[in-house]
Amino acid sequence: MTAETSRPLLSVEHLSIEFGNRRVVNDLSFALHSGKTLCIAGESGSGKSLTSLAIMGLLPKIARVPSGTLLFEGRDLLALPERQMQQLRGKEIGMIFQEPMTSLNPLMMVGQQLEETVRRHEPVSRRQARQRAKEMLDAVRVPHVDKRLVQYPHELSGGMRQRVMIAMAMVCRPRVLIADEPTTALDVTIQAQILELMRELQREFDTTLLMITHDMGVVAEMADEVVVMNQGVMEEHAPVRDLFNAPQAAYTQKLLAAVPVLGTAPKPESRAAQPVVLEVTDLTVRFPLRSGWFEEARNVHAVENVSFSLRQGETLGIVGESGCGKSTTGKALMSMLAYDGSVKLLGRELNGLKGEALKPVRQDIQMIFQDPYASLNPRKTILDLVGEPLLIHGQTDFSQRKARVAQLLEQVGLPGEAMERYPHMFSGGQRQRICIARALALNPKVIIADESVSALDVSVQAQVLDLLERLQEEYQLSYVFISHDMAVVERICHRVAVMFCGQIVEIGQRDQVLGNPQHPYTRRLLSAVPMPDVDHRRDFKALLKEIETPDPIKPRGYEASVQNYRAVDLDHLVAV
Amino acid sequence: MLAFMTRRVLYSLLILLGVTLITYLLLFMLPADPARQIAGRSATPEVVENIRHQLGLDLPFYQQYFNYLMGLLHGDLGRSFIQRSEVSELIGSRLAPSLQLMGMGILFELIIGIGLGIIAALKRDSFADRLLMAFSFIGVSSPQFIAAMLFLYFFAVKLDWFPMGGYGEFRHILLPALTLGLLGSGWYSRMVRSSMIEVLHQDFIRTARAKGLSRVRVVFRHVLPNAIVPVIPMIGIDIGIFMGGLVVVESVFGWPGIGQLAWQAIQQVDIPVIVGVTTVSAVAIVLGNLLADLVIPLVDPRIDVKKH
């Protein structure tokens, strides 16, 4: 008996959702089969999350459902009164969310939050509820369970919190588990751990999984069936193999083409003959911890003896997981915080420069940030925003400035009229183009891009990456490209540095580092990347074992031992 | 913890020093002459001068203030000009009624304020919400002496629900405490409302609902504790505002507390009593804030006293 002929556990039929007059989900139908995984894939605004909220009966108040049925075991969830939905939620259908950092009540202990779910749905004693909570935390492999039960969420890491979320959703053994972007906010190795856990739990408890994700790699790793959504409409519904091997809908084809796949990017031209523009030697950043009267003074060792050089027209990728010091390195290069060591830009030492002395430096080195929504002042027009660096650097003539802004906007693919408008009138991708235009305004030699495409949908991401490459070609720009996404790094970088706990553990030509990784951490990182390759699903079991990370907080005066490197190949260094 | 307490006590002493200095300075600059007030209208200039000398009012300002501080260090708040008894005794005998009224008033204030705030937040933008917010606006902005007199007139004189005044039985405290509570609850209902609305949009509330919890449990176990955290320091600050309200309400209702004492002292330019009451009030405010700072970590585990 195939999945298609068995009676589905949950079927969504002709579901539509409206916000006012706007239809955000239109005539959506699919079915969940027992024990299987269905992924809803799509970019932002596709209506995939709203669909899952509709199943849970958790749609925001302003949403209306003009048509459709949600059949779960013969009952229409849309017609069920709130009280009966409450009995279903958490008991028959569990759900986990994207943001583990904010999805747990900060004022309740982990144990209390788990027990609360059990006691709501089952007539058990407090002691039994606690026992159930413990068993479930064990099942999601949370170490030191007894200690965790009495901890508050803020005492746990993001990965641990997401495990607690999963345990909480699974504690009553629901038939269906809905996971809305469960790994999007997590580091790649943590993501692999969570995906592996969900596979294990599904096997153990025979749970039916409905997974919402934008990441085609995750889809390929997890799904049995896939629904591709775009702008509230289902573009394609197919078994995962068919979808990846022979996508039918034009949108799916476009989406898959835009996904950067690790190991497929063409080899970049070497820049080894170009002059060095940025030379970083022994860059060290420490943050003093505020201490009390009777406490020992301590430092957070954020960046430790980082050295690299960047050539003209070259892109150096800095990869690593959150807290590894990659963004701090970027800020130090921008002279936005105090550091030790040397940063030489075009032969000029930057360390020690302050105030006015930094002003000419800023013409040569600029930055593009991660969040295009937060990095543009909403009260200024695009003309003001892109023209501001010009104004600061002495371009006071209004008509000249205006002409330059128009030229810059054109370079990043936006019409000149855009300069009259405000940031909220643009999409995320367009805003990032505006940020790029602003960074370009002073004709810099080096641009630091800190996770600059991470917040964008894949198709938009591909366009922005193309733009960055084109600008590099035209103006011989050098990029320091800070990212957690290995596939994107491979796509755009000439050289790659891998950071771990404030240090570079491996650095070299792109293909040396990504193709022939030597350091165990680089290998771990690469093995965690989900691949959009349905025929070779990756086994993340090895990643469930945590590796030891040194405590970055050290007493003041502590000197880190000097990091030695071994040359694997010409230009390819590995920490020993 | 020890470091925290030491620092807080030091800060508190500085605040008290500042409060007494400013009070003294203001009273010194007052055009009214306490010596003439005591001597009476028909007294000769010699008599007035004599009284002034006896009370030490002819000393320069810094000398008077220094004497006061010295007394304060020995627990001596001075002697009343008018009532011929120690200020500490006057205040001591009236502290208990004031504390009762204040405790009861704050209780009413919190019950009414938080209760209305919850209702308004849950029924956001409804007619009930608008009505409650209009009510709280009136409460916040109406002058206490008018409100107190109106309450007295309607609820005691016209409706005869409460006694006109007096002290000693439980029923006596109700109307003055309600007056204080109703007027102060406006702040709380507004704060609780906006704080609740903010928390209602948090991810963990969605999680709580996804767990299948009942609406009541979501509101009282998940929303309210989180919404109440920013309100706690407000209670500490509120004790100061309450002190001002006490002066008015105690006078209107004839409540024998330090508010009434202060009211009489101000009319008679009885400087030692005014300064004494001000000092005691300042101590109360400082203690109230300290208490609030100590309570917050009990509610919110993320806030650690040691780190402040």
Side-chain angles (χ1 to χ4, degrees):
Chain A
M1 191 168 72
T2 63
E4 278 67 31
T5 55
S6 71
R7 209 166 132 259
L9 184 58
L10 175 84
S11 58
V12 174
E13 287 164 16
H14 306 292
L15 176 72
S16 294
I17 303 173
E18 282 177 358
F19 280 131
N21 292 326
R22 208 157 52 87
R23 192 160 274 217
V24 284
V25 172
N26 193 17
D27 198 26
L28 178 69
S29 302
F30 62 85
L32 273 182
H33 295 277
S34 187
K36 299 284 179 196
T37 301
L38 181 118
C39 281
I40 304 182
E43 299 185 297
S44 47
S46 63
K48 54 192 194 305
S49 285
L50 286 170
T51 305
S52 66
L53 289 175
I55 296 171
M56 289 297 279
L58 291 178
L59 280 174
K61 269 189 198 144
I62 49 162
R64 261 183 354 104
V65 182
S67 70
T69 46
L70 295 169
L71 280 177
F72 178 70
E73 298 186 312
R75 286 184 290 181
D76 181 7
L77 298 183
L78 288 173
L80 230 47
E82 169 64 16
R83 260 175 204 288
Q84 288 181 40
M85 271 315 282
Q86 283 172 6
Q87 284 160 13
L88 219 75
R89 289 201 283 261
K91 173 74 181 143
E92 302 286 334
I93 309 176
M95 184 159 184
I96 56 177
F97 301 95
Q98 174 168 354
E99 268 298 340
M101 304 313 271
T102 55
S103 292
L104 289 164
N105 187 338
L107 306 188
M108 281 170 83
M109 287 185 248
V110 167
Q112 292 175 316
Q113 302 197 40
L114 277 153
E115 287 157 31
E116 186 183 45
T117 315
V118 186
R119 284 169 66 84
R120 165 71 179 165
H121 296 292
E122 292 171 37
V124 292
S125 69
R126 206 166 275 267
R127 181 191 291 270
Q128 285 167 318
R130 172 140 293 218
Q131 189 53 37
R132 288 279 296 281
K134 265 163 98 167
E135 286 167 12
M136 205 61 225
L137 286 177
D138 271 329
V140 295
R141 306 233 194 149
V142 169
H144 315 299
V145 169
D146 285 313
K147 201 174 118 202
R148 300 281 178 240
L149 285 171
V150 294
Q151 277 182 322
Y152 289 94
H154 72 277
E155 297 172 85
L156 306 179
S157 67
M160 277 304 143
R161 288 191 215 187
Q162 197 61 307
R163 289 185 196 201
V164 170
M165 280 298 292
I166 296 175
M168 213 156 75
M170 292 290 293
V171 73
C172 290
R173 312 278 158 86
R175 314 268 306 271
V176 179
L177 178 65
I178 302 177
D180 185 359
E181 302 270 11
T183 57
T184 306
L186 302 173
D187 276 324
V188 59
T189 57
I190 311 292
Q191 160 167 290
Q193 288 174 350
I194 297 293
L195 294 179
E196 185 59 40
L197 277 173
M198 288 173 62
R199 286 178 185 165
E200 275 180 20
L201 290 174
Q202 185 172 33
R203 273 197 298 273
E204 198 177 329
F205 301 115
D206 196 33
T207 314
T208 307
L209 198 58
L210 174 64
M211 207 156 145
I212 318 291
T213 183
H214 72 284
D215 186 332
M216 293 313 277
V218 170
V219 172
E221 298 287 356
M222 300 296 288
D224 294 306
E225 267 183 77
V226 188
V227 168
V228 177
M229 285 182 76
N230 175 34
Q231 307 282 323
V233 179
M234 185 165 82
E235 295 277 352
E236 186 160 359
H237 180 188
V240 67
R241 231 167 254 278
D242 299 353
L243 187 101
F244 277 88
N245 293 336
Q248 298 301 309
Y251 177 77
T252 316
Q253 291 166 2
K254 205 181 97 204
L255 190 67
L256 285 172
V259 177
V261 182
L262 196 58
T264 60
K267 196 172 164 55
E269 252 176 74
S270 173
R271 305 284 189 222
Q274 299 292 326
V276 170
V277 288
L278 186 71
E279 178 85 56
V280 180
T281 320
D282 292 334
L283 177 74
T284 298
V285 182
R286 286 172 194 171
F287 299 112
L289 271 188
R290 276 190 64 182
S291 55
W293 289 359
F294 308 110
E295 275 174 75
E296 190 189 15
R298 291 178 301 171
N299 282 329
V300 179
H301 288 225
V303 178
E304 199 68 63
N305 288 325
V306 161
S307 303
F308 60 82
S309 58
L310 181 69
R311 291 173 187 280
Q312 189 180 340
E314 184 178 58
T315 304
L316 172 75
I318 300 185
V319 297
E321 297 186 291
S322 45
C324 74
K326 55 189 194 300
S327 286
T328 308
T329 303
K331 283 186 189 149
L333 298 180
M334 288 297 295
S335 303
M336 285 159 79
L337 41 81
Y339 56 90
D340 290 324
S342 153
V343 175
K344 277 194 179 139
L345 178 66
L346 306 167
R348 182 173 36 175
E349 176 60 52
L350 302 190
N351 194 0
L353 296 186
K354 279 202 187 92
E356 278 298 302
L358 269 175
K359 213 168 147 181
V361 174
R362 304 250 191 247
Q363 295 193 7
D364 292 326
I365 186 162
Q366 283 288 318
M367 192 160 187
I368 310 167
F369 299 93
Q370 171 168 4
D371 187 349
Y373 289 88
S375 52
L376 293 171
N377 184 341
R379 284 166 197 268
K380 289 193 170 185
T381 62
I382 305 309
L383 173 62
D384 289 337
L385 288 164
V386 178
E388 198 168 27
L390 297 167
L391 189 64
I392 292 169
H393 287 268
Q395 176 67 270
T396 44
D397 183 80
F398 180 75
S399 58
Q400 277 179 21
R401 200 163 67 234
K402 202 170 164 184
R404 173 73 176 135
V405 170
Q407 188 194 0
L408 285 163
L409 290 176
E410 198 182 315
Q411 276 171 2
V412 298
L414 289 172
E417 305 89 76
M419 71 171 104
E420 309 295 334
R421 284 183 261 161
Y422 288 88
H424 70 268
M425 300 159 121
F426 296 89
S427 69
Q430 287 172 326
R431 286 189 214 203
Q432 202 58 303
R433 284 169 191 271
I434 293 165
C435 291
I436 293 171
R438 179 170 64 178
L440 284 175
L442 298 169
N443 287 318
K445 306 289 180 295
V446 178
I447 289 182
I448 317 276
D450 187 359
E451 298 277 11
S452 300
V453 296
S454 306
L456 307 176
D457 281 324
V458 277
S459 55
V460 182
Q461 187 177 51
Q463 291 164 12
V464 173
L465 288 173
D466 283 340
L467 172 67
L468 287 173
E469 276 186 332
R470 203 191 76 218
L471 292 169
Q472 178 165 56
E473 209 57 46
E474 273 174 48
Y475 300 101
Q476 286 299 297
L477 289 169
S478 306
Y479 296 131
V480 175
F481 193 86
I482 298 167
S483 178
H484 70 284
D485 188 330
M486 307 296 262
V488 168
V489 163
E490 188 198 46
R491 157 93 167 65
I492 193 165
C493 295
H494 300 92
R495 295 172 70 238
V496 177
V498 181
M499 281 188 79
F500 176 61
C501 294
Q503 295 185 323
I504 290 183
V505 294
E506 187 158 359
I507 184 168
Q509 301 288 340
R510 186 199 81 180
D511 290 348
Q512 290 171 335
V513 175
L514 300 182
N516 180 24
Q518 293 297 310
H519 195 275
Y521 181 72
T522 314
R523 289 185 183 163
R524 185 181 163 86
L525 212 52
L526 285 167
S527 73
V529 179
M531 300 286 266
D533 177 359
V534 275
D535 297 316
H536 303 94
R537 285 207 170 161
R538 307 191 90 171
D539 182 358
F540 299 126
K541 281 200 189 66
L543 290 161
L544 282 171
K545 225 161 84 188
E546 296 289 344
I547 49 165
E548 207 184 313
T549 40
D551 185 1
I553 299 169
K554 302 278 201 285
R556 203 152 290 171
Y558 174 91
E559 279 305 318
S561 54
V562 177
Q563 181 67 267
N564 288 312
Y565 293 92
R566 169 171 68 90
V568 180
D569 202 344
L570 187 69
D571 207 20
H572 185 187
L573 299 177
V574 181
V576 286
Chain B
M1 192 65 201
L2 183 68
F4 170 76
M5 286 304 283
T6 321
R7 203 163 25 185
R8 282 306 299 252
V9 169
L10 284 179
Y11 283 152
S12 307
L13 287 176
L14 271 177
I15 291 169
L16 287 181
L17 202 67
V19 168
T20 51
L21 179 64
I22 291 170
T23 316
Y24 239 93
L25 202 60
L26 286 175
L27 289 173
F28 189 79
M29 296 190 312
L30 215 61
D33 183 356
R36 175 152 289 280
Q37 194 87 12
I38 296 162
R41 233 169 247 199
S42 54
T44 59
E46 289 78 36
V47 175
V48 174
E49 204 49 49
N50 211 358
I51 292 172
R52 182 170 292 137
H53 182 69
Q54 273 176 15
L55 296 176
L57 290 170
D58 51 350
L59 293 170
F61 167 72
Y62 62 87
Q63 190 77 44
Q64 287 188 41
Y65 181 59
F66 183 76
N67 288 347
Y68 171 75
L69 279 187
M70 280 297 120
L72 201 60
L73 279 180
H74 298 99
D76 178 11
L77 289 169
R79 245 183 112 75
S80 163
F81 289 169
I82 315 287
Q83 303 206 34
R84 308 199 185 286
S85 63
E86 292 293 321
V87 174
S88 49
E89 275 169 30
L90 283 174
I91 292 176
S93 67
R94 285 160 172 266
L95 207 54
S98 277
L99 284 177
Q100 286 167 11
L101 182 56
M102 195 147 118
M104 202 66 181
I106 290 181
L107 192 71
F108 278 133
E109 186 176 66
L110 290 179
I111 292 172
I112 299 168
I114 295 175
L116 296 186
I118 293 173
I119 296 169
L122 295 180
K123 310 254 175 215
R124 190 185 176 183
D125 294 336
S126 67
F127 178 69
D129 176 21
R130 299 225 170 87
L131 195 72
L132 289 176
M133 284 307 107
F135 167 79
S136 81
F137 190 70
I138 294 169
V140 166
S141 49
S142 59
Q144 282 160 323
F145 61 94
I146 293 181
M149 300 235 239
L150 283 176
F151 281 7
L152 192 67
Y153 179 70
F154 277 108
F155 297 117
V157 179
K158 280 279 172 193
L159 296 167
D160 200 22
W161 290 354
F162 302 98
M164 286 274 288
Y167 172 73
E169 283 171 57
F170 180 68
R171 61 196 183 97
H172 290 126
I173 204 171
L174 288 174
L175 192 55
L178 261 176
T179 307
L180 280 169
L182 275 172
L183 293 177
S185 64
W187 291 113
Y188 287 97
S189 59
R190 288 182 162 252
M191 246 186 108
V192 169
R193 176 181 180 271
S194 62
S195 182
M196 285 264 297
I197 286 170
E198 203 183 308
V199 175
L200 278 166
H201 287 107
Q202 299 278 321
D203 288 346
F204 60 82
I205 299 305
R206 190 181 51 187
T207 308
R209 294 181 64 204
K211 282 154 75 166
L213 300 181
S214 65
R215 200 171 152 73
V216 172
R217 186 160 175 101
V218 171
V219 169
F220 285 96
R221 190 75 182 87
H222 291 268
V223 184
L224 193 57
N226 279 284
I228 221 81
V229 173
V231 178
I232 296 170
M234 175 88 179
I235 301 174
I237 296 166
D238 194 38
I239 291 173
I241 302 170
F242 235 92
M243 280 290 178
L246 271 187
V247 174
V248 174
V249 170
E250 285 186 0
S251 305
V252 173
F253 289 94
W255 190 261
I258 56 172
Q260 199 190 38
L261 180 69
W263 180 240
Q264 289 163 358
I266 291 166
Q267 285 173 321
Q268 298 165 335
V269 207
D270 194 348
I271 289 175
V273 176
I274 300 174
V275 178
V277 170
T278 315
T279 310
V280 169
S281 309
V283 170
I285 293 164
V286 167
L287 282 180
N289 279 302
L290 183 64
L291 198 66
D293 282 350
L294 291 176
V295 167
I296 290 176
L298 301 180
V299 184
D300 191 339
R302 289 167 298 179
I303 298 170
D304 187 353
V305 182
K306 280 182 249 132
K307 287 183 187 146
H308 284 260

